[in-house]
């Protein structure tokens, strides 16, 4: 059993920042990889970023590189997504997801998901 709780979403103007958090509970092997996906209206859910348990392996989608930073507090079993220089195209519901080793970038590879947190960026 794995439970995920996201927080930190909200509404900001373009260029602003938000920090998302996701606290996980469950077996250690099931939460080795922690990731963020997002889904905008009328679009498919897309990969944003992921991080391994040790933090040695990190992945980002091209559109957020240099603006977003994923990090992890292993002791707290919590993953963060620091989002800077936000753009209107970042508007979406952001979902936390976890899976075992290894990092994957397709949503179907993740068996556990949070409820999502809305991020809205206005111009």
């Amino acid at each position: 059993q794995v439970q995920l709780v996201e927080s930190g979403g909200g509404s900001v103007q373009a260029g602003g920042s938000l920090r998302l958090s996701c606290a996980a509970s469950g077996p250690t092997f099931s939460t080795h990889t922690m990731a963020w996906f997002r889904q905008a209206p009328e679009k498919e859910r897309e990969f944003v970023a992921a991080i391994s348990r040790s933090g040695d392996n990190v992945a980002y989608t091209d559109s957020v590189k240099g603006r977003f930073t994923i990090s992890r507090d292993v002791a707290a079993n919590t993953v963060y997504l620091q989002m800077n220089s936000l753009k209107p195209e970042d508007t979406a519901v952001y979902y936390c997801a976890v899976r075992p080793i290894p990092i994957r970038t397709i949503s179907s590879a993740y068996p556990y998901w949070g409820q999502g947190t809305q991020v809205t960026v206005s111009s």
Side-chain angles (χ1 to χ4, degrees), residues 38 63-69 82-87 89-90:
R38 65 187 181 186
S63 64
V64 308
K65 288 180 179 177
R67 299 188 298 121
F68 292 10
T69 302
Q82 179 66 47
M83 304 185 295
N84 298 326
S85 301
L86 283 162
K87 304 175 180 180
E89 52 262 46
D90 295 318

Side-chain angles (χ1 to χ4, degrees), residues 81-115:
L81 187 68
Q82 179 66 47
M83 304 185 295
N84 298 326
S85 301
L86 283 162
K87 304 175 180 180
E89 52 262 46
D90 295 318
T91 295
V93 176
Y94 283 70
Y95 297 92
C96 177
V98 298
R99 71 178 314 278
I101 300 172
I103 287 175
R104 300 287 299 278
T105 58
I106 55 175
S107 61
S108 61
Y110 289 78
Y112 304 107
W113 295 82
Q115 80 285 358

Side-chain angles (χ1 to χ4, degrees), residues 54-69:
S54 68
D56 291 340
N57 294 316
V58 178
Y60 297 94
T61 191
D62 286 344
S63 64
V64 308
K65 288 180 179 177
R67 299 188 298 121
F68 292 10
T69 302

Side-chain angles (χ1 to χ4, degrees), residues 11-62:
S11 298
V12 298
Q13 294 193 78
S17 298
L18 286 171
R19 190 192 193 206
L20 307 183
S21 299
C22 173
S25 62
T28 299
F29 80 91
S30 295
T31 58
H32 175 84
T33 299
M34 304 189 77
W36 291 96
F37 288 76
R38 65 187 181 186
Q39 188 164 22
E42 302 181 357
K43 296 185 68 176
E44 295 181 343
R45 188 167 298 186
E46 68 170 340
F47 172 80
V48 177
I51 187 169
S52 64
R53 186 171 185 84
S54 68
D56 291 340
N57 294 316
V58 178
Y60 297 94
T61 191
D62 286 344

